[in-house]
Amino acid sequence: MTEAVETLKTWVQESKAIAFFGGAGVSTESGIPDFRSTGGLYHQEWKYPPETILSHTFYKSNPEEFFRFYRAKMLAPEARPNAAHKKLAEWEAAGKLTAVVTQNIDGLHQAAGSKHVCELHGSVHRNYCERCGKFYGLDFILNGTGVPRCTCGGIVKPDVVLYEEGLDQSVMNDAVDSIARADLLIIGGTSLNVWPAAGLINYFRGKRLALINKSAVARDLSAGLVITDPIGEVMAGL
């Protein structure tokens, strides 16, 4: 175990209020493709750029193509929580971790047992009819074809934040509060390229900041610890 990981282990032991801010890199070890890393979704060929397909405008104007891409590239029902997800849930159960703030939409933190999860970009497990509001689970989308329709005839939209859409303000407020109250903030599996989510770390007022990411991040965080190893491996060692 590296010296940095040993230090992080000590920090965790001494902390009373850990907040975790995570991105796509947390889920790659569960087999879910990263959006922007080499070989990720944004480096694969498709008729339209993924940024275009995952926009509100495209969803409204070309729902057939949107849902074809969504089912093929955004859903991974076979994925299971990895060591990072499990360790975070373990810390929460022990009363050390107060919140997971995630940019991921896969629900793996909850599957691992985490209770307080701020899902900044929504979840594939929640889908609602745009006409009547009826709820539908993931299986309804997975097992269907074409544009999913409610019993009332309305389109069933995934509760995920598309480009051009705003983040849920109540979720943002919860995330801000959780990060602001933390004495240790661990940032993992994110290059901090996605705004406004990346800006949430500016609310951290604690003294200990750790960054776990395989590649360089978009900002100089002046983190006390920087670990450039796969987050699942690092967390398993804690």
Side-chain angles (χ1 to χ4, degrees):
M1 187 179 291
T2 66
E3 183 178 344
V5 175
E6 284 285 4
T7 299
L8 179 56
K9 187 174 184 179
T10 299
W11 284 10
V12 170
Q13 291 171 344
E14 296 176 350
S15 177
K16 296 180 180 179
I18 303 170
F20 179 82
F21 181 91
V26 178
S27 294
T28 53
E29 290 169 69
S30 291
I32 297 179
D34 191 346
F35 276 83
R36 293 174 175 79
S37 65
T38 302
L41 282 183
Y42 286 19
H43 291 264
Q44 297 177 11
E45 292 185 9
W46 203 262
K47 187 176 180 180
Y48 302 93
E51 297 96 331
T52 298
I53 300 175
L54 296 174
S55 69
H56 181 81
T57 297
F58 192 91
Y59 165 76
K60 286 295 188 181
S61 63
N62 199 341
E64 284 277 357
E65 187 71 358
F66 171 87
F67 279 104
R68 189 170 76 87
F69 180 89
Y70 183 78
R71 288 189 179 95
K73 296 296 184 181
M74 303 302 291
L75 304 180
E78 73 289 344
R80 296 294 180 267
N82 60 53
H85 299 104
K86 294 174 182 177
K87 180 60 67 172
L88 292 168
E90 177 185 315
W91 289 346
E92 183 183 29
K96 298 188 73 66
L97 183 137
T98 58
V100 169
V101 180
T102 181
Q103 299 173 79
N104 298 332
I105 59 175
D106 49 51
L108 290 180
H109 286 292
Q110 290 92 332
S114 289
K115 305 299 183 185
H116 187 193
V117 183
C118 304
E119 294 176 306
L120 300 175
H121 298 150
S123 172
V124 299
H125 295 277
R126 298 189 300 269
N127 306 274
Y128 298 95
C129 173
E130 292 191 299
R131 180 181 297 174
C132 73
K134 183 177 178 180
F135 172 84
Y136 289 88
L138 177 59
D139 286 345
F140 180 78
I141 305 296
L142 275 174
N143 298 330
T145 58
V147 180
R149 295 279 180 177
C150 176
T151 52
C152 78
I155 294 178
V156 177
K157 181 183 184 295
D159 186 18
V160 299
V161 179
L162 304 177
Y163 287 100
E164 305 169 346
E165 294 180 344
L167 275 60
D168 183 282
Q169 195 57 52
S170 63
V171 175
M172 287 285 282
N173 291 342
D174 189 10
V176 167
D177 184 64
S178 299
I179 290 173
R181 293 174 180 271
D183 58 14
L184 167 60
L185 175 61
I186 301 175
I187 300 172
T190 175
S191 57
L192 297 174
N193 276 314
V194 180
W195 291 79
L200 289 173
I201 62 175
N202 294 334
Y203 293 94
F204 179 59
R205 296 294 179 263
K207 294 182 178 179
R208 290 176 167 177
L209 174 62
L211 174 66
I212 309 170
N213 200 54
K214 291 172 66 176
S215 58
V217 299
R219 302 168 57 191
D220 178 11
L221 300 175
S222 298
L225 283 176
V226 177
I227 302 173
T228 55
D229 293 315
I231 188 169
E233 294 180 13
V234 174
M235 299 289 272
L238 299 177

